[in-house]
Amino acid sequence: MNVIGKVTVLPQLPPEIARLSELAYNLYWSWTPHAQRLYQDLSPELWERFQHNPVRLLLEVDQERLNAAAQDPAYLERYAQVMADFDAYMGKKDTWAVSNAAQMKPVAYFSMEYAFHESLPIYSGGLGVLAGDHCKSASDLDIPFTAVGMLFHQGYFRQLFDKDGWQNEAYDELDLTTLPIHPAVNAAGEEVRVSVRIAGREIAVKVWTLQVGRIRVLLLDTKLPENSEEDQKLTARLYGGNQELRVQQYVLLGVAGIRALRALDVPAEVYHMNEGHAALMSLERMREYVAGGLDFRTAHETAASSTLFTTHTPVAAGNDAFAYDLMDKYIGEWPGLLHAGRDELYGLARHDQQWDGHMVPAFSMTVFALNMSRAANGVSELHGEVSRGMWNFLYPGAEEREVPIGHVTNGAHNLTFTSQRMRDLLSTVLPADWTERLEDEAMWQAVEKLSDEQLSDVQREMKREMIAFIRGRVREQLQRNGASAADVADVGSLLDENTLTIGFARRFATYKRATLLLRDKKRLAAIVNNPERPVQFVFAGKAHPADNPGKAFIQEIYRVSQEPEFKGKIVILENYDMHVARHLVQGVDIWLNNPRRPLEASGTSGMKASFNGSPNFSVLDGWWREGYDGTNGWPIGEEREYADLNVQDDADAFDLYQRLEHDIAPRYYGKKTGDESWAHTVRDAIETVSPRFSMQRQVIDYVRQYYIPLSLRGARLSENGSTRAREIAGWKAWVRQQWPHTSITAQAHLPATARPGEKVTVSAQVDPAGIRPEELRVEAVLKRGDEVRRFPLTHGEGQSYSAEILLDDSGLYSVGVRMLPLIEGLSNDLEAGLIKWA
Ligand SMILES: *Cc1c(COP(=O)(O)O)cnc(C)c1O
């Protein structure tokens, strides 16, 4: 045919089901399987082909099919139920926030990546899932919250294995018309554009909105005709480029992100930096204050007073640091805009690095984030501890435990990852409103009423679905790689539904040690092929495109999976994403995680598995160190670190095999009822992990520990044109200048030995160099083992200070005396950054 033109006829929703379109644009459907089913039923084929994307499905579906659904009473009944649930969710008045967080001010949350659903691939892994889940629970709890991120047109990447199990990356250009996003419009209904100057180029940024239940996510986009081709690529790929691109993306997220909030009149009084990627938001926030007439230091105090920073990684490569001259290129104008010296600004981010054998100053995103916030946290108790150690050097004179980095242990959004079958089963024993109080530990005790049989029935169904899914995926992969018909046919015997099935899926960062299981292949072969108690494994995960060692891990597992004794029993699946993740956490019997402790800041996939009754089997790192209670899963290795990594790997691998052979497999294939039955562990896992590691608990912790206190501090420091912030800034400058002129000497009158209950006298002589006594804390510090206690000394005659200190328990005490300057309104005692020990 000679084509003279083309036209697309878009299907029209019949009025009976008109709201399918509205619902498609609210990610409420992403954690609501019965809502998803409304779309799936219109065309199961399109649903699968387009990554379960309702917007796309409504663009592609046949008009006839829509008309038929609109006349189908059963469909309409389900439609009405979904819409009623959706309306109840959106319209709910007596929410958690109304009763618990009325004084909270609106939060702006910044993250480089978000994982909401597989059809919106703007995430790479756990950090994104955490951010997406945080948004979902912010919506569930109804806190005032807006998220800011980037619209990556090519997302992360699609992972393809070649014939030899080597990872290749494919980048698909997203078609924005098929995504559940709208251009953001201001009150006047006009599309919003903001702009940002980077390296002298004025870059236009379009803002999109994504509705996630009750809250909004703003996504920044530079792919606009008015931008150069280079600048259009700023929002092409997540973690795609070199350092130069990274810095520019950070400027974009931080600076354009704040401008987008302002352009849309989005209220924000607390700012949450999710990882150091977001730290440059502070540049723009300080600029606003400077433009409003504040000096740099007062602007710094004001901006920081309402900012929270969450750090996510103890791995050095995860904490970006850039050479100063690179920063000059991209933020060179900012010292001028902020009326600050270059060294004054960069000094807030300075972290000297060993480069080419020299120590050179570098601009660290983490250091900048720590200095630009007045609250910081790690993402598990152990990670908090590790972070305090890592960043102790920023607080000279402070004990590690005093470093002002706390922790909120991560959670996961239960409903996003819990299978519909498990939800239905839970609904038979939990109260009607269980999905609204997921963090309620007492409520979850009702899980004990579930019978062994009920649980195993649901789990068997989920496992069948997973195996079918895996076979389908592997078949596609083999066909694409030109495998023989015999090999393709073999897929039908891949994995066995009666075999204990262990899942391992996550990013293939090397510290996660995906190949630890292969350390003793003979022993593994015996475990896998045990005639009475066989075990099979499913792996999945992406390596960063530049991470060849990570790709080599993938290939190693792939090759092992092709060896005769492992074939069909060890499988590695392509393209790990949220879809694959859901199948695996819902379908396996056990979830395995064996990172090199203490590098797994938290980990969350094991939580998702436990929600579905798959107990966790993991190194006591991150969340599992808190979650494991002796009966709800299994540990690997001991609660310790090793100097020799090889020794650590050996010890952990040995323990892994040992537990599998002696505890886990015998239990799985053993008693069907009672305290030692498999179902008993399953119930414990669901009951204990679901509330404590719910995202709902996590967000509540953030509200109470950080969002509310920062709301109050931020307001206090910024009121009346930042009067208090100015006083604090002035005071800090003054004490820093005086500090070198101060001095302290001290004596402790200590007997050689003492009895519990005895008192000792500690005294000090201080030259405060003009710092007022009420602004100086002179204190004795007593250390006994891990315990550190502080006792203020009382100001006596002249320059002397003293105190009697009770030694209330036995043990070896170390005594020290120090002083530090304090003023009302600081976020913590170390904020001035000055400590002097006698
Ligand atoms: C939960 C999840 C992760 C995080 O897994 P970890 O075990 O915390 O590393 C990564 N990717 C996807 C797709 C997930 O769903």
Side-chain angles (χ1 to χ4, degrees):
M1 167 171 101
N2 192 12
V3 179
I4 57 161
K6 289 187 181 184
V7 57
T8 307
V9 180
L10 294 175
Q12 296 296 307
L13 279 169
E16 294 85 348
I17 52 174
R19 294 186 67 202
L20 283 179
S21 171
E22 175 195 342
L23 180 63
Y25 282 89
N26 187 321
L27 289 186
Y28 169 83
W29 57 258
S30 70
W31 63 88
T32 313
H34 74 150
Q36 293 166 24
R37 222 164 309 125
L38 288 180
Y39 301 98
Q40 180 179 17
D41 288 354
L42 293 175
S43 169
E45 194 264 316
L46 292 174
W47 182 250
E48 285 310 318
R49 176 149 32 115
F50 298 121
Q51 290 81 40
H52 315 137
N53 176 347
V55 173
R56 183 78 188 257
L57 187 131
L58 293 182
L59 289 170
E60 307 266 352
V61 69
D62 289 341
Q63 184 68 45
E64 263 177 54
R65 183 61 200 106
L66 290 176
N67 297 345
Q71 301 308 318
D72 173 357
Y75 187 88
L76 290 176
E77 192 179 325
R78 287 191 291 128
Y79 170 82
Q81 184 61 53
V82 169
M83 291 303 161
D85 290 351
F86 178 46
D87 290 339
Y89 178 87
M90 296 297 288
K92 190 172 164 63
K93 293 282 186 291
D94 55 338
T95 58
W96 181 87
V98 168
S99 12
N100 294 278
Q103 71 275 54
M104 181 183 154
K105 302 274 172 42
V107 176
Y109 178 93
F110 281 54
S111 178
M112 190 54 96
E113 53 171 311
Y114 291 91
F116 296 108
H117 187 259
E118 55 269 23
S119 59
L120 188 58
I122 53 172
Y123 63 94
S124 92
L127 183 70
V129 177
L130 193 82
D133 283 3
H134 195 114
C135 294
K136 289 172 180 173
S137 286
S139 164
D140 296 341
L141 295 166
D142 186 31
I143 60 172
F145 186 93
T146 304
V148 178
M150 310 264 273
L151 184 67
F152 293 106
H153 286 253
Q154 302 182 354
Y156 195 42
F157 64 89
R158 196 154 46 83
Q159 180 193 47
L160 300 164
F161 296 159
D162 69 11
K163 270 195 190 72
D164 206 19
W166 188 254
Q167 167 181 303
N168 290 319
E169 297 95 26
Y171 292 90
D172 308 317
E173 191 75 24
L174 296 175
D175 175 353
L176 302 195
T177 62
T178 67
L179 298 181
I181 55 175
H182 288 301
V185 292
N186 61 18
E190 300 150 349
E191 261 191 38
V192 161
R193 287 272 197 289
V194 297
S195 78
V196 53
R197 264 170 85 82
I198 301 180
R201 291 139 30 217
E202 201 69 37
I203 300 167
V205 184
K206 178 166 177 163
V207 187
W208 297 85
T209 65
L210 172 72
Q211 195 69 34
V212 179
R214 292 164 169 266
I215 68 109
R216 260 201 304 174
V217 184
L218 306 180
L219 295 172
L220 309 173
D221 176 8
T222 63
K223 195 177 178 212
L224 299 170
E226 54 265 51
N227 289 330
S228 70
E229 225 163 278
E230 276 313 295
D231 291 340
Q232 295 192 23
K233 287 189 187 140
L234 290 174
T235 53
R237 296 179 184 180
L238 171 63
Y239 308 140
N242 55 15
Q243 291 230 324
E244 309 247 347
L245 183 65
R246 282 267 180 133
V247 173
Q248 297 179 73
Q249 289 181 330
Y250 296 167
V251 175
L252 185 68
L253 174 65
V255 177
I258 295 287
R259 291 181 185 167
L261 292 170
R262 305 299 184 247
L264 289 161
D265 277 324
V266 175
E269 294 184 46
V270 172
Y271 293 80
H272 188 168
M273 301 166 173
N274 188 46
E275 193 44 296
H277 310 143
L280 299 185
M281 68 154 80
S282 305
L283 293 178
E284 176 62 4
R285 289 197 60 216
M286 290 195 289
R287 193 202 56 79
E288 293 176 327
Y289 289 118
V290 168
L294 300 188
D295 62 281
F296 172 66
R297 287 175 184 158
T298 305
H300 172 201
E301 285 303 331
T302 312
S305 70
S306 53
T307 305
L308 167 66
F309 166 51
T310 300
T311 176
H312 287 269
T313 178
V315 179
N319 289 277
D320 305 277
F322 302 100
Y324 274 14
D325 49 4
L326 185 70
M327 294 310 285
D328 286 343
K329 197 162 152 193
Y330 298 111
I331 66 162
E333 295 175 4
W334 283 86
L337 291 171
L338 300 178
H339 300 174
R342 171 186 184 262
D343 287 343
E344 193 176 15
L345 179 63
Y346 290 13
L348 294 171
R350 182 169 170 173
H351 185 185
D352 292 356
Q353 309 278 316
Q354 179 102 27
W355 278 334
D356 295 336
H358 304 281
M359 286 307 273
V360 290
F363 191 106
S364 155
M365 288 295 156
T366 306
V367 174
F368 193 56
L370 285 168
N371 279 316
M372 289 312 310
S373 58
R374 290 291 174 253
N377 71 291
V379 291
S380 69
E381 188 183 45
L382 180 61
H383 178 235
E385 226 171 83
V386 169
S387 302
R388 288 190 286 278
M390 255 178 108
W391 305 108
N392 199 168
F393 74 93
L394 295 172
Y395 306 87
E399 296 295 319
E400 186 173 309
R401 63 173 48 220
E402 295 176 316
V403 171
I405 300 177
H407 79 273
V408 170
T409 304
N410 282 346
H413 191 252
N414 306 59
L415 299 186
T416 293
F417 294 99
T418 309
S419 72
Q420 184 64 45
R421 288 178 202 279
M422 184 57 83
R423 281 167 71 159
D424 291 344
L425 180 61
L426 292 171
S427 295
T428 64
V429 291
L430 295 176
D433 63 346
W434 70 274
T435 58
E436 287 160 30
R437 47 193 183 107
L438 295 157
E439 77 288 358
D440 182 343
E441 294 184 31
M443 176 188 84
W444 283 93
Q445 287 168 9
V447 166
E448 288 167 26
K449 291 189 254 175
L450 294 174
S451 74
D452 300 0
E453 212 178 5
Q454 285 176 309
L455 285 167
S456 63
D457 284 353
V458 165
Q459 292 199 288
R460 190 172 328 102
E461 283 305 317
M462 294 316 304
K463 194 159 156 185
R464 274 193 193 134
E465 284 179 21
M466 176 189 74
I467 291 175
F469 170 75
I470 292 172
R471 289 178 183 168
R473 281 288 179 99
V474 172
R475 204 172 284 126
E476 273 171 34
Q477 176 191 333
L478 290 177
Q479 283 166 342
R480 190 189 67 235
N481 284 329
S484 69
D487 279 346
V488 175
D490 268 359
V491 170
S493 59
L494 196 69
L495 303 176
D496 165 55
E497 69 175 52
N498 297 311
T499 296
L500 169 59
T501 307
I502 300 187
F504 180 105
R506 49 186 48 82
R507 285 183 307 114
F508 269 49
T510 46
Y511 76 87
K512 292 180 183 253
R513 296 192 300 189
T515 55
L516 188 74
L517 181 72
L518 311 178
R519 213 161 164 89
D520 182 347
K521 270 171 61 188
K522 244 168 102 184
R523 191 156 179 194
L524 180 64
I527 291 171
V528 166
N529 295 300
N530 182 311
E532 273 101 57
R533 303 198 290 253
V535 181
Q536 59 193 8
F537 293 88
V538 183
F539 285 88
K542 292 176 175 175
H544 185 274
D547 180 12
N548 282 328
K551 292 187 191 180
F553 276 11
I554 291 174
Q555 186 169 48
E556 191 180 341
I557 295 169
Y558 184 82
R559 287 182 170 159
V560 168
S561 76
Q562 303 302 308
E563 293 172 9
E565 68 261 57
F566 298 112
K567 206 163 166 77
K569 296 162 186 166
I570 293 183
V571 185
I572 180 161
L573 209 56
E574 282 182 329
N575 203 34
Y576 185 50
D577 67 355
M578 289 190 76
H579 179 208
V580 176
R582 278 198 314 278
H583 272 291
L584 299 190
V585 299
Q586 294 171 4
V588 299
D589 298 303
I590 298 257
W591 195 256
L592 174 67
N593 191 15
N594 47 36
R596 189 173 280 139
R597 189 184 135 117
L599 297 182
E600 183 83 321
S602 168
T604 53
S605 55
M607 304 169 185
K608 306 166 192 168
S610 291
F611 299 162
N612 286 286
S614 311
N616 198 48
F617 175 34
S618 166
V619 166
L620 291 169
D621 196 6
W623 80 277
W624 188 233
R625 179 174 159 275
E626 295 159 55
Y628 175 57
D629 71 357
T631 63
N632 59 357
W634 293 270
I636 297 171
E638 294 171 40
E639 272 219 52
R640 55 167 289 198
E641 281 82 47
Y642 295 76
D644 183 332
L645 299 183
N646 217 17
V647 174
Q648 182 171 7
D649 292 354
D650 270 339
D652 288 347
F654 181 81
D655 198 51
L656 195 165
Y657 297 130
Q658 204 73 2
R659 298 250 178 209
L660 256 182
E661 287 169 337
H662 299 291
D663 296 345
I664 299 177
R667 181 174 283 241
Y668 183 80
Y669 291 104
K671 294 204 183 76
K672 293 294 167 222
T673 55
D675 279 3
E676 276 161 36
S677 69
W678 186 254
H680 190 81
T681 310
V682 168
R683 259 192 301 271
D684 275 356
I686 299 174
E687 179 182 337
T688 58
V689 175
S690 302
R692 288 183 53 206
F693 300 96
S694 62
M695 180 51 76
Q696 197 137 319
R697 187 275 307 151
Q698 183 205 296
V699 175
I700 290 172
D701 282 355
Y702 274 104
V703 169
R704 294 199 168 132
Q705 240 170 281
Y706 296 117
Y707 293 162
I708 290 177
L710 285 170
S711 297
L712 302 174
R713 278 200 81 249
R716 167 103 176 77
L717 263 71
S718 63
E719 70 193 0
N720 299 327
S722 288
T723 305
R724 190 67 194 137
R726 185 175 298 102
E727 285 164 10
I728 290 175
W731 174 83
K732 280 185 187 169
W734 143 252
V735 294
R736 279 177 193 152
Q737 179 195 313
Q738 293 311 104
W739 202 244
H741 309 296
T742 61
S743 69
I744 180 167
T745 57
Q747 305 78 38
H749 309 280
L750 304 173
T753 61
R755 293 168 187 285
E758 218 167 290
K759 287 182 174 168
V760 296
T761 301
V762 176
S763 56
Q765 293 72 44
V766 167
D767 177 354
I771 298 174
R772 298 191 306 187
E774 60 272 30
E775 292 177 354
L776 198 62
R777 181 180 166 106
V778 181
E779 62 188 12
V781 178
L782 264 65
K783 273 214 262 189
R784 192 178 55 122
D786 282 346
E787 182 191 66
V788 177
R789 284 198 288 165
R790 302 162 58 188
F791 300 89
L793 305 192
T794 317
H795 193 191
E797 292 286 297
Q799 312 280 45
S800 71
Y801 286 76
S802 68
E804 282 209 314
I805 292 166
L806 178 71
L807 306 174
D808 54 2
D809 207 345
S810 58
L812 175 64
Y813 288 80
S814 309
V815 182
V817 175
R818 68 183 185 183
M819 64 178 180
L820 38 94
L822 281 179
I823 187 175
E824 187 268 315
L826 299 184
S827 57
N828 68 74
D829 292 358
L830 302 187
E831 197 186 305
L834 300 169
I835 295 179
K836 192 170 272 182
W837 290 85

